[in-house]
Amino acid sequence: ASHVFEKRETEDLFINTTKGIKSIQGAAELTDLSKHDNIDVAYVLLDPEFGDELAKKYDFLPKELLRKKYDDSASVYLTMGYPVVNIKDDPDTKTIRTGSSFVIHPLAKDKVYDYYKYSKDLHYVLQYAGKGTDLKTNQKKKINKAPHGMSGGGLWHITFFEDETFNLI
């Protein structure tokens, strides 16, 4: 997310590697939040050596599993991230534990795309109601008014198949 990478000019961003925690090396591209406050996207073109180092620890999604945008009103999408509310630190052991959260969304209706002047061919506009069903208790509950802290996990398309299995893509 752009709001994360804005700090990169004054603070390094870190990731766990096989050689310990290292500063992320590469060129970042991000949206200018002063011009586009409702688009918060960034990515890093990793330095090749740093990418090779990460490949020793992480499995990357193969290119053949990357798909273009679906135009399917029955599709659902999952956003995942690591909000601050899930960070637990233990000063006694000097450890920090993070936890992920996720939200499942349908695509927004056509009138939303029209109102905000987004192209359905280029953009994903998802419904976010600020409430949802807790998967542990199956109860409706209020969640964050806005999906703050959902950076880092990407956008996943969920597809259901006739044999009642599902794939995250």
Side-chain angles (χ1 to χ4, degrees):
S2 292
H3 74 271
V4 173
F5 277 91
E6 280 183 328
K7 295 179 179 181
R8 190 166 186 223
E9 293 191 16
T10 57
E11 302 173 24
D12 283 341
L13 299 175
F14 296 93
I15 192 166
N16 218 356
T17 72
T18 56
K19 296 179 180 174
I21 296 173
K22 299 261 181 145
S23 175
I24 295 174
Q25 302 298 310
E29 293 290 333
L30 52 148
T31 53
D32 183 346
L33 295 175
S34 67
K35 295 179 183 175
H36 306 283
D37 64 347
N38 60 347
I39 302 173
D40 189 4
V41 177
Y43 63 89
V44 178
L45 295 172
L46 296 174
D47 288 343
E49 300 82 26
F50 190 70
D52 291 343
E53 179 66 29
L54 291 180
K56 293 174 186 172
K57 182 166 181 75
Y58 298 99
D59 292 324
F60 293 101
L61 187 65
K63 288 181 185 176
E64 59 270 10
L65 289 181
L66 295 177
R67 299 214 174 148
K68 293 185 178 182
K69 185 164 175 20
Y70 287 87
D71 186 17
D72 177 4
S73 60
S75 290
V76 291
Y77 293 83
L78 180 138
T79 53
M80 188 183 103
Y82 303 89
V84 171
V85 296
N86 290 351
I87 297 174
K88 308 291 184 225
D89 65 326
D90 185 342
D92 295 332
T93 61
K94 296 182 180 173
T95 58
I96 297 174
R97 185 177 54 86
T98 62
S100 62
S101 291
F102 68 90
V103 179
I104 296 173
H105 315 263
L107 284 174
K109 302 205 180 311
D110 288 346
K111 66 182 181 180
V112 176
Y113 282 87
D114 294 341
Y115 179 82
Y116 288 105
K117 297 180 176 45
Y118 287 123
S119 166
K120 286 189 86 172
D121 293 331
L122 298 174
H123 302 101
Y124 294 90
V125 178
L126 307 174
Q127 288 185 22
Y128 182 80
K131 59 186 174 185
T133 302
D134 185 313
L135 296 178
K136 290 181 183 174
T137 65
N138 205 30
Q139 300 292 314
K140 287 263 186 196
K141 70 180 223 180
K142 229 178 184 185
I143 54 178
N144 292 335
K145 291 181 183 177
H148 295 295
M150 295 303 283
S151 311
L155 176 65
W156 298 87
H157 177 251
I158 302 176
T159 325
F160 295 89
F161 297 94
E162 288 183 23
D163 65 359
E164 298 182 10
T165 61
F166 69 95
N167 289 330
L168 292 177
I169 300 175

